[in-house]
Amino acid sequence: MSRPNRLIVGISGASGFDYGVRILEMLRGEGVETHLVVSRAAMTAMTHESDMTLAGMKALADHAYDNRDIAAPIASGSFRTGGMIIAPCSAKSLAEVAMGTGGTLIARAADVVLKERRRLVVLFRETPLHLGHCHNMLRLTEMGGIVMPPVPAFYPRPKTLDEMVTHTAARVLDLFDLEIPMDGRWKGG
């Protein structure tokens, strides 16, 4: 895979809003053009988890779209991207993507990424899991997506929640061949 110059970031309504924010911040530092879609449920989570505003979130991205705008450029396979990240990814968004319903822009953009054989990474944020969640994760994986629950790594000995979020976000970007400098990369031993 070559280094992407354009990525889609979807933020859906699961807890973990800061993952999407950190990924946008890191992509901005890498000079990657970002295309943001935020679900209505994500905006609700944002008010409970963050001091961020929707305007502040949009300011982190190069382009932002309404989740109802199925005619947005990112809904077409001819709009070339390096792929998409959904962070966090709610159970509802995971199901929509796994079933290929395309009823929201997040689901449609993810469907396009999969059909064009581009990279899709979802930070599924749900626990505990029932069998339907497991089936949807399996289906998405079989379709070529990567399910990456944001499970914190403790070997870097994070001292703050911010350090944990940053480490996970950097690991997501590793999957797009974007090596973000960070403390705590595993060195073995």
Side-chain angles (χ1 to χ4, degrees):
M1 179 184 1
S2 63
R3 185 183 198 281
N5 63 353
R6 181 189 282 168
L7 286 174
I8 303 164
V9 177
I11 299 177
S12 68
S15 183
F17 186 81
D18 283 346
Y19 290 112
V21 170
R22 185 58 37 81
I23 287 167
L24 284 169
E25 290 169 344
M26 289 176 157
L27 288 171
R28 185 177 210 86
E30 291 296 305
V32 175
E33 180 181 305
T34 53
H35 293 260
L36 173 67
V37 186
V38 181
S39 74
R40 182 176 294 278
M43 289 185 251
T44 301
M46 176 180 64
T47 63
H48 293 286
E49 296 182 5
S50 173
D51 293 328
M52 178 72 69
T53 63
L54 184 57
M57 172 65 66
K58 287 180 178 180
L60 292 174
D62 295 298
H63 305 276
Y65 308 97
D66 187 293
N67 198 28
R68 298 169 293 187
D69 184 6
I70 300 302
I74 61 174
S76 173
S78 65
F79 186 78
R80 297 194 43 119
T81 69
M84 181 174 184
I85 302 162
I86 305 176
C89 183
S90 66
K92 178 180 185 269
S93 293
L94 174 69
E96 289 174 340
V97 174
M99 296 301 165
T101 62
T104 65
L105 184 55
I106 289 174
R108 172 61 188 163
D111 190 60
V112 166
V113 164
L114 290 171
K115 80 178 184 69
E116 298 294 330
R117 306 300 191 260
R118 298 173 187 150
R119 176 128 314 157
L120 172 66
V121 177
V122 300
L123 275 71
F124 183 54
R125 264 288 300 122
E126 190 65 57
T127 188
L129 304 174
H130 61 61
L131 188 56
H133 298 140
C134 296
H135 281 293
N136 287 334
M137 287 188 287
L138 174 62
R139 179 169 290 162
L140 182 65
T141 301
E142 289 173 338
M143 293 164 54
I146 297 173
V147 179
M148 183 181 170
V151 177
F154 292 98
Y155 59 83
R157 298 189 178 204
K159 294 174 182 45
T160 66
L161 185 57
D162 183 65
E163 288 177 4
M164 292 173 86
V165 168
T166 297
H167 186 270
T168 299
R171 294 285 293 125
V172 169
L173 297 179
D174 284 350
L175 294 170
F176 290 89
D177 288 337
L178 295 166
E179 189 170 331
I180 307 298
M182 69 171 182
D183 292 333
R185 286 198 182 273
W186 181 252
K187 294 173 181 60

